């Protein structure tokens, strides 16, 4: 028996919107720790890892570990039927081949049940090692989204370079080139507007912009984004989900041929 | 722009 009640149901709606472009089908795993998902895109270039900790739910009952295969576009169709202020409850019985999403309006005058068929998904679970990153950049998520969008109108790839000067996002295409440098800036009114660069050593990596743009669908989940870079690892683009957990996107770099 | 690597080049199946 599984029953997860999330008062801030809009969080779940935003989570689905953040990942459904990248991943078609995925297993949602429920355990005492929380509600999680790990999945790669079809070409195995990017990986998404989601965690919503059990403590973040108003009610969290998960009698035994359960993995539920879902088509994310179908989940999204269901969740789009929930109001932004609705309380969302996810329910499933042991051994059942369906999951139920229950939506309650804030004043309890409307209650809806949407039952969705589950599917069997063969998915590989990858071990993600703890790593020391050469550079970690924290910046406003809207600024990062803007940079990715702007650069993708010029080129297909972005070179992200971190030096003492700051973080530089560069691209090149048929019509020309573009470089955007963000310097560390801690003197802002609100901490979420700061750009903070922790650099152990300079690093420069190249990535496909298409994927970066897809990651920025998570922007509504967090005011800030953290980008962790090391020369021998996929970049991690992390959006923290307040009080609950995170969405982390891993993107494999382009390498010299 | 270089050759695109994949996640499985870096992370192992568990």
């Amino acid at each position: 028996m599984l029953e997860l009640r999330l008062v801030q149901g809009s969080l779940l709606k935003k989570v689905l919107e953040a990942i459904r472009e990248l991943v078609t089908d995925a297993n949602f795993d429920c355990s005492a720790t929380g509600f999680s998902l790990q999945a790669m895109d079809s070409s195995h270039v990017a990986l998404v890892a989601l965690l919503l900790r059990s403590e973040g739910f108003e009610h969290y009952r998960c009698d035994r570990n359960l993995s539920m295969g879902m088509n994310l576009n179908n989940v999204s169709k269901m969740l789009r039927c929930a109001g932004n202020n609705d309380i969302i409850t996810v329910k499933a019985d042991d051994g059942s081949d369906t999951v139920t999403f229950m939506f309650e309006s804030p004043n309890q005058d409307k209650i809806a049940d949407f039952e969705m068929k589950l599917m069997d998904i063969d998915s590989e679970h990858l071990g993600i090692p703890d790593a020391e990153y050469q550079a970690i950049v924290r910046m406003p998520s809207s600024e990062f989204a803007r940079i990715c969008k702007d650069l993708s109108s010029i080129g297909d790839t972005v070179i992200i370079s971190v030096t003492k000067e700051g973080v530089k996002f560069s691209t090149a295409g048929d019509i020309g080139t573009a470089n955007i440098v963000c310097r560390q800036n801690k003197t802002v009114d609100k901490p979420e507007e700061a750009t903070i660069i922790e650099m152990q050593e300079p690093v420069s990596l190249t990535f496909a912009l298409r994927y970066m743009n897809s990651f920025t669908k998570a922007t509504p989940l967090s005011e800030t984004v953290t980008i962790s870079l090391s020369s021998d690892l996929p970049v991690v683009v992390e959006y923290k989900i307040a009080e609950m957990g995170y969405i982390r996107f891993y993107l494999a770099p382009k390498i010299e041929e | 722009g270089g050759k695109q690597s994949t996640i499985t080049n870096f992370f192992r199946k568990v």
Side-chain angles (χ1 to χ4, degrees), chain A residues 44-45 125 127 252-255, chain B residues 1-7 12 14:
Chain A
H44 292 189
V45 170
H125 207 80
K254 292 203 155 199
I255 49 178
Chain B
K3 181 174 173 281
Q4 179 64 62
S5 61
T6 64
I7 290 292
R12 297 275 159 253
V14 289

Side-chain angles (χ1 to χ4, degrees), chain A residues 10 135 189 192 237:
Chain A
S10 59
D189 293 341
E192 60 269 23
V237 178

Side-chain angles (χ1 to χ4, degrees), chain A residues 1-5 28-36 51-55 57-68 89-95 99:
Chain A
M1 171 84 186
L2 167 86
E3 198 169 283
L4 320 178
R5 184 176 154 92
F28 283 89
D29 298 314
C30 297
S31 71
T33 312
F35 193 61
S36 64
L51 174 66
L52 299 174
R53 290 185 199 93
S54 51
E55 305 88 75
F57 292 83
E58 191 202 27
H59 172 70
Y60 191 96
R61 177 177 170 188
C62 177
D63 296 344
R64 60 190 184 92
N65 292 358
L66 196 61
S67 190
M68 297 185 291
T89 302
V90 182
K91 288 196 278 194
D93 289 321
D94 288 343
V99 60

Side-chain angles (χ1 to χ4, degrees), chain A residues 53-228:
Chain A
R53 290 185 199 93
S54 51
E55 305 88 75
F57 292 83
E58 191 202 27
H59 172 70
Y60 191 96
R61 177 177 170 188
C62 177
D63 296 344
R64 60 190 184 92
N65 292 358
L66 196 61
S67 190
M68 297 185 291
M70 301 187 207
N71 173 283
L72 298 188
N73 268 319
N74 292 346
V75 180
S76 178
K77 277 182 194 170
M78 297 251 164
L79 293 184
R80 268 181 269 164
C81 300
N84 276 331
N85 300 316
D86 281 3
I87 298 161
I88 298 181
T89 302
V90 182
K91 288 196 278 194
D93 289 321
D94 288 343
S96 169
D97 58 359
T98 62
V99 60
T100 298
F101 300 101
M102 190 172 88
F103 311 140
E104 294 168 72
S105 62
N107 60 0
Q108 312 277 309
D109 59 354
K110 180 180 168 190
I111 295 169
D113 277 284
F114 287 69
E115 191 181 79
M116 194 184 78
K117 291 172 192 160
L118 295 175
M119 56 199 291
D120 284 324
I121 297 168
D122 277 333
S123 72
E124 305 175 9
H125 207 80
L126 300 181
I128 301 169
D130 281 331
E132 291 281 322
Y133 285 91
Q134 287 168 282
I136 300 173
V137 176
R138 202 194 87 191
M139 63 192 297
S141 58
S142 56
E143 184 60 46
F144 178 64
R146 175 73 199 264
I147 290 169
C148 291
K149 181 170 163 282
D150 287 350
L151 293 186
S152 59
S153 64
I154 312 290
D156 298 329
T157 61
V158 58
I159 302 171
I160 306 179
S161 310
V162 183
T163 63
K164 277 187 296 185
E165 309 305 316
V167 54
K168 184 168 80 169
F169 302 88
S170 308
T171 195
D174 292 342
I175 64 166
T177 63
N179 295 291
I180 300 170
V181 177
C182 297
R183 292 206 178 87
Q184 174 151 284
N185 180 9
K186 292 177 172 173
T187 56
V188 288
D189 293 341
K190 297 182 205 151
E192 60 269 23
E193 290 169 357
T195 297
I196 297 165
I197 298 167
E198 290 170 26
M199 189 192 78
Q200 308 301 322
E201 51 188 308
V203 59
S204 182
L205 286 160
T206 304
F207 301 100
L209 269 169
R210 184 164 70 85
Y211 291 94
M212 286 290 180
N213 264 312
S214 171
F215 302 164
T216 64
K217 301 276 181 201
T219 304
L221 281 165
S222 179
E223 299 230 50
T224 63
V225 63
T226 305
I227 305 157
S228 303

